[in-house]
């Protein structure tokens, strides 16, 4: 790929342009707001001058509602050899495009799975996609040349290509992203009217479950509005489990022994299915989750304590796989949980203790 | 407090005994399995010999179903000046005790909010309760002397006392602990039958929401079976929100403009209430959550990288308030998010960059 046209210089468009420009691709930047394209150009993402001829790849990075029309315009103008969009939902835009009657061999839908907490060209970064999955949704009609252009874009951005059917993609993000967001919000919403003394009892469990409930409602409404059907389907499955669990809990209060046994079986079933589902969530580097062992260390709240503990762990020659800091109630001390290979845990514990750290039960 | 009798030498009983014995209290250990009491004694938690006279405080740390009978036996024997239990549910045991007709002035219910991932005396640790909330549920009939004995126990264990009504406690743990557990399991359960390609798209959001879905089903069934009513009530509230949200998502697909607007309002409402609830979750040291700023740094997977980054951050004189390691798919590199006081973030970013670290958009 030697030339590209990025249409829409928001966070995603500018970040892709920065990555391509950094690898020597000539990038042309276009936005309905010329000031935005100028800003992206000033950041080194390319030029806001129009290309003189047909570019290799046109990347359409406009809001979901405008994707199909923007793609159709570019295709009618013959702007590029290949056309790709980056919208977070893939079935709708494809169907809208099909309705135009255009030949879609040169089009491929895509969705880079990057954080989108910020927006605008100034938030753009060449490494936004590094190590992240980038979904491509070719059909049997997609030209091989266009699929290869898309794979080249993904590689130049440092992302990991994942090929999927458009509707399967929409169901997948409903499952792994959109539903968890809504459910997290619903658990957090229960706290809105809770008594202060109850809120004081919050531990690490609810803290994790509700972390993403702090997300921006406007941004999430846009995402959910573009994928309402698949999200409603997954939520309906959760709702069925929820109703069943409420029934099982009520049965646990029954005077009838057999009903209580049925209730216990129902509650245990949802917990066991949760175990099975959780075991499928990929861990570090997309690998299956490894059972790390936790070494828990008490630290004071002074600056430099974390630095000291990591330096001391490094001296033990142990690779820390994950870290969690637990915040205690009402005390000026914290608990750092260092997750390490089980084989390395005894050596780390011993080394930290001999260096004066106070360990405790994780 | 000079003497104590711990009845039930599992994780909680042994840990409390270790804390008391470590502070000079004479602790007697009793268990229906004498080998367990002997093990706890061998760990330094006290003596498995019976006390010669009445002790200051009897601590009943047996499974929820046996709490009331064990307390009643000890009270009838006049074993102590004060009696306390540590069961994770408080309303049921109190009502069972009231049914015995005993004078309950010498009794106080309690619940130390500590991790309970392990069990048995060997998992006991004197610091198990350090910095954790320890709920006390006195009534107007509780003797002041007994409340003070309980407060002394909590202080000797390094925990933070929180006084609540017994039923309010059960509703509170249903809200902040039992319901999040079940909902996390239900979201994870959706993944059990998911296609592999969908599971590959899991990001940090679903990873956080489903972390506790890996918990032990047998242990959680016991906890939930002791508190079914309050948990069912909170879950019913979540179920109502869920049904409302499914309806709102379906309305977003309507051809009718006004219905779509209503659907959007419904979805936005649950997201906003989630924001409000999440804002009440206490952060570090039980304080209101501070809005930290995130400095995100790319690291390689080599040992010592975390040590280096914390040492370099320490050199910048910045206190790291929280850490998160994000695991990228398919790449031998990770993203470390350092959460710091917003005022300190620019200095930290600058310092890390000048020390050669590669920062990226959080």
């Amino acid at each position: 790929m030697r030339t590209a046209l990025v249409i829409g210089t928001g966070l995603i468009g500018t970040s892709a342009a920065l990555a391509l420009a950094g690898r020597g691709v000539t990038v042309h930047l276009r936005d309905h707001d010329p000031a935005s394209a100028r800003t992206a150009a000033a950041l080194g993402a390319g030029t806001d001058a129009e290309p003189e001829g047909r570019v290799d790849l046109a990347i359409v990075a406009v809001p979901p509602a405008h994707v199909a029309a923007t793609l159709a315009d570019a295709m009618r103008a013959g702007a590029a050899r290949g056309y790709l969009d980056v919208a977070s939902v893939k079935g709708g835009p494809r169907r809208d495009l099909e309705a135009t009657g255009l030949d879609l061999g040169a089009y491929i839908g895509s969705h880079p799975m990057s954080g989108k907490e910020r927006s605008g060209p100034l938030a753009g970064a060449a490494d936004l996609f590094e190590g992240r999955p980038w979904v491509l949704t070719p059909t049997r009609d997609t030209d091989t040349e266009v699929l290869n252009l898309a794979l080249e874009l993904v590689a130049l951005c440092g992302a990991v290509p994942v090929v999927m059917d458009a509707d399967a993609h929409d169901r997948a993000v409903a499952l792994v992203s959109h539903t968890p967001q809504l459910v997290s919000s619903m658990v957090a919403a229960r706290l809105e009217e809770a008594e202060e003394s109850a809120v004081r009892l919050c531990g690490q469990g609810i803290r994790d479950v509700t972390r993403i409930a702090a997300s921006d409602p406007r941004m999430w409404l846009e995402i959910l509005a573009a994928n309402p059907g698949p999200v409603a389907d997954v939520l309906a499955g959760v709702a069925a489990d929820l109703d069943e669990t409420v029934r099982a809990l009520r049965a646990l209060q029954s005077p009838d022994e057999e009903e209580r046994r049925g209730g216990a079986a129902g509650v245990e079933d949802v917990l066991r299915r949760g175990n099975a589902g959780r075991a499928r969530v990929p861990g570090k580097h997309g690998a299956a989750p490894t059972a790390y062992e936790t070494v828990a260390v008490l630290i004071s709240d002074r600056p430099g304590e974390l630095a000291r503990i990591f330096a001391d762990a490094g001296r033990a020659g142990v690779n820390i796989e994950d870290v969690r800091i637990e915040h205690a109630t009402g005390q000026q001390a914290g608990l750092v949980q260092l997750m390490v290979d089980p084989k390395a845990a005894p050596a780390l514990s011993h080394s930290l203790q001999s260096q004066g750290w106070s360990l405790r039960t994780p």
Side-chain angles (χ1 to χ4, degrees), chain A residues 139-151:
Chain A
T139 68
R140 70 185 67 194
D141 299 325
T142 306
D143 298 342
T144 303
E145 184 207 5
V146 173
L147 174 58
N148 281 327
L149 279 169
L151 287 168

Side-chain angles (χ1 to χ4, degrees), chain A residues 57-353:
Chain A
L57 186 65
I59 299 162
V60 170
V62 299
H66 303 285
V67 167
T70 307
L71 276 166
D73 284 351
M75 291 169 84
R76 286 196 193 96
R81 290 198 289 140
Y83 302 85
L84 169 144
D85 79 304
V86 295
S88 62
V89 61
K90 303 266 57 82
R94 164 161 289 277
R95 277 184 284 277
D96 291 347
L97 263 184
E98 279 166 356
T100 64
L102 286 162
D103 172 8
L104 299 188
Y107 163 71
I108 184 167
S110 89
H111 178 207
M113 310 286 295
S114 62
K116 293 188 199 69
E117 288 80 8
R118 304 185 185 199
S119 58
L122 287 168
D127 58 10
L128 186 71
F129 311 107
E130 221 161 275
R132 307 284 187 126
W134 189 318
V135 177
L136 300 174
T137 60
T139 68
R140 70 185 67 194
D141 299 325
T142 306
D143 298 342
T144 303
E145 184 207 5
V146 173
L147 174 58
N148 281 327
L149 279 169
L151 287 168
E152 197 180 343
L153 165 69
V154 172
L156 290 170
C157 289
V160 181
V162 180
V163 172
M164 297 178 79
D165 169 74
D167 289 323
H169 164 273
D170 293 352
R171 288 194 301 270
V173 292
L175 182 68
V176 305
S177 167
H178 304 174
T179 294
Q181 174 61 50
L182 281 169
V183 172
S184 175
S185 295
M186 285 174 212
V187 172
R190 294 293 104 204
L191 296 176
E192 196 183 5
E193 309 289 340
E195 286 170 42
E196 186 52 37
S197 58
V199 170
R200 282 187 68 188
L201 303 186
C202 285
Q204 196 56 43
I206 191 170
R207 223 170 270 143
D208 285 347
V209 170
T210 60
R211 185 183 63 85
I212 55 175
S215 303
D216 176 17
R218 297 298 310 178
M219 183 192 80
W220 271 99
L221 177 57
E222 241 176 65
I223 293 172
L224 294 164
N227 200 27
V231 179
D233 291 344
V234 181
L235 274 187
V238 176
D241 269 354
L242 199 46
D243 292 344
E244 193 46 59
T245 306
V246 171
R247 257 196 301 278
L249 288 164
R250 301 280 187 218
L252 280 171
Q253 299 174 283
S254 162
D256 182 73
E257 166 77 28
E258 197 170 332
E259 270 195 44
R260 285 204 304 277
R261 255 205 301 273
V267 170
E268 193 173 340
D269 175 63
V270 73
L271 293 166
R272 289 209 182 276
R273 287 191 290 119
N275 281 178
R278 168 65 191 184
R280 298 194 63 197
V281 176
K284 202 172 177 182
H285 307 322
T290 313
Y292 297 131
E293 193 152 319
T294 299
V295 175
V297 193
L298 279 169
I299 59 162
S300 79
D301 205 24
R302 289 194 303 270
E305 284 285 275
L306 279 170
R308 276 214 304 133
I309 204 161
F310 280 97
D312 288 354
R315 223 163 280 143
V318 172
N319 197 12
I320 309 291
E321 301 291 345
D322 207 347
V323 183
R324 189 170 286 279
I325 303 184
E326 194 177 319
H327 303 311
T329 300
Q331 281 229 337
Q332 288 307 305
L335 186 69
V336 177
Q337 301 190 312
L338 304 173
M339 277 153 261
V340 299
D341 188 306
K343 289 193 292 290
L348 178 62
S349 298
H350 181 80
S351 168
L352 289 178
Q353 277 179 311

